[in-house]
Every structure is written in C-alpha cells, then in structure tokens.
Amino acid sequence: MVNWSQSRELFHGRLVAKYNESEAKSYDAFVGTLTKEDEEAYLADIQEVSPLLKGHSILDVGAGSGALTKILSRVDGLVLTAMEPSPDMRELLRSKPELAKVPVVEGGCDSLDDRQIFPESNFDSILSRQVVNSLFDPLVAFQNWLYWLKPGGSVVVIDGIYGRDGWTGVWEEEVDVTPLAACQSLATIPYLLEFIGFRVEMVNWMTRTNRLPATRTKRYLVVAKKPK
C-alpha cells in the first residue's frame, strides 16, 4: 500500500510529467492565452479588492505559461517573480517577450520542502490563478504562503467552480487526489486560509471577468492577509 507521503511524491511527479511540451502548448493555447480585454477585466477585478502598488514584491505561484504574470506585468513598478514546477511551462513563460525580465523559479508550493525556496517575509503579495484546485496539500501550501508573506501582506486566490466532469482525459485520475478539485462552495478556501492563520478580507465573484465570453467557468476571488 502506498502511504500519504509516497502519494504526494507520485502526484507531483505525475503533474510535471503530464505538462510535457505538447500538453503545455495545448494549455497555453486554450487556458494560458488571454485577450487584452480579458487581461484588463482580470486586472480591474484584482485591483478593486487588493490594490497592487509600485515597488510591491509579487509572487505568481503556479504561474504556468504566464497568463497571470502577463496581467500583473501591466502594472508599472511591480517586482514580479513567477514560480512553476513544470519545465515546459517555464520555457513557454520565458519565451514571451513581455516577460523576459521576470525571474522564473522552479518549484511547487504544497510540500514542506518547498518552504525553503524563499526566505520568510519575502513578498508583499502572493497571487494564484487556477492553482488551488490542483494542490495535493492545500493546507501546507497556505502555510508556506503565510511564511513567505511579509506581515500585513496579502494572498489573492483566483479559482473557479469546477465539477468532477471538468477533469477529463489524463486528468481524470487526479479528481480524487486533490482535495479542492471539484469544490462547489465559496466557503472552503476562506475557511482553510483562516484555519492556518490568515485573516480573510473578501470573498466575491469576479464580475468583470465573468461577463466575458472567454470565461467558461465562473471565477471568484479570495483575499486574505497575514496579520501584522
């Protein structure tokens, strides 16, 4: 029988293997590429609830091929860092001219070993887009985020309402491995964030983003802060 720790290692290995060159390009074409209108809607929804200010150090965790990083790069003066475990995703991100100067760090976030990737109190904000639903251990991820954030820093979680039928093909086997894969409630992520020490500031739908035809699954935002 495979124990929990072994399952974690197997899962992370599968995740990186699945995002091979072909899958990464497919993801970038259908999920990772946003129009200017999409980017503006995302940014307006984020800025309304968690303003991003010049000089702020920002981590895009689980950056994929760089969709959220590209959105954030529209804000002048942000100090951006992207983190992504898949080498093919990182290569795609680095290939985008507008992201050429963004440091790209290899790594995940939902293992205790990941905590050493960044020093304590290193970022003003941590943002994730469609990452939480695919975490093997979201509680450990949130603990790592809390560690990496400066006191008073914010975490912004962007995710969607996914059902089991959203996990198809090679991804079908992960729906019963990742605890938030088919989460249907806006309450779950805020509950977990508060459980490990965050103060939840806001939970709401992304009204501008959800009005656009490219948004196939309704998106929501959770904003939480590390206590000072």
Side-chain angles (χ1 to χ4, degrees):
M1 174 178 285
V2 177
N3 65 30
W4 182 255
S5 296
Q6 289 172 325
S7 296
R8 183 198 306 270
E9 295 304 315
L10 290 171
F11 168 76
H12 288 150
R14 285 200 309 270
L15 196 66
V16 171
K18 283 176 180 177
Y19 277 122
N20 55 28
E21 182 179 2
S22 174
E23 186 69 19
K25 287 181 177 178
S26 177
Y27 175 94
D28 190 51
F30 293 104
V31 181
T33 301
L34 300 174
T35 67
K36 182 180 179 181
E37 186 181 19
D38 293 326
E39 291 181 359
E40 289 174 349
Y42 262 95
L43 189 55
D45 281 333
I46 294 169
Q47 289 280 47
E48 183 177 37
V49 296
S50 185
L52 302 168
L53 305 176
K54 184 176 182 178
H56 273 195
S57 55
I58 310 292
L59 174 64
D60 178 3
V61 64
S65 58
L68 181 57
T69 315
K70 189 168 178 281
I71 292 167
L72 298 174
S73 71
R74 298 170 70 99
V75 181
D76 289 338
L78 294 184
V79 182
L80 294 175
T81 301
M83 181 167 69
E84 167 59 39
S86 163
D88 289 293
M89 286 290 204
R90 293 196 304 272
E91 185 175 343
L92 276 174
L93 191 156
R94 290 190 178 104
S95 72
K96 298 179 179 179
E98 62 271 45
L99 302 180
K101 294 183 180 180
V102 175
V104 183
V105 176
E106 177 183 355
C109 67
D110 61 341
S111 169
L112 288 174
D113 292 339
D114 296 327
R115 189 165 302 178
Q116 63 188 346
I117 296 174
F118 301 109
E120 185 176 6
S121 303
N122 196 60
F123 297 103
D124 292 294
S125 295
I126 295 174
L127 288 87
S128 72
R129 173 181 179 259
Q130 295 171 230
V131 171
V132 170
N133 64 75
S134 62
L135 294 173
F136 181 86
D137 196 335
L139 280 179
V140 168
F142 297 161
Q143 288 169 342
N144 289 340
W145 296 0
L146 191 71
Y147 180 82
W148 294 334
L149 278 174
K150 298 175 183 177
S154 297
V155 61
V156 180
V157 174
I158 298 171
D159 222 298
I161 301 298
Y162 296 96
R164 297 180 65 87
D165 57 357
W167 296 74
T168 59
V170 297
W171 299 101
E172 188 175 353
E173 66 181 318
E174 311 301 353
V175 71
D176 291 314
V177 178
T178 53
L180 302 178
C183 182
Q184 297 288 297
S185 171
L186 298 191
T188 306
I189 290 173
Y191 171 76
L192 295 177
L193 287 168
E194 287 209 334
F195 180 79
I196 61 93
F198 279 99
R199 184 180 70 249
V200 174
E201 301 277 304
M202 192 281 311
V203 185
N204 212 342
W205 297 106
M206 299 180 71
T207 54
R208 298 171 183 83
T209 302
N210 288 335
R211 283 199 293 262
L212 298 177
T215 304
R216 296 179 292 274
T217 303
K218 285 187 71 176
R219 301 283 192 268
Y220 63 91
L221 276 166
V222 180
V223 180
K225 287 196 173 184
K226 178 177 179 176
K228 292 184 178 180

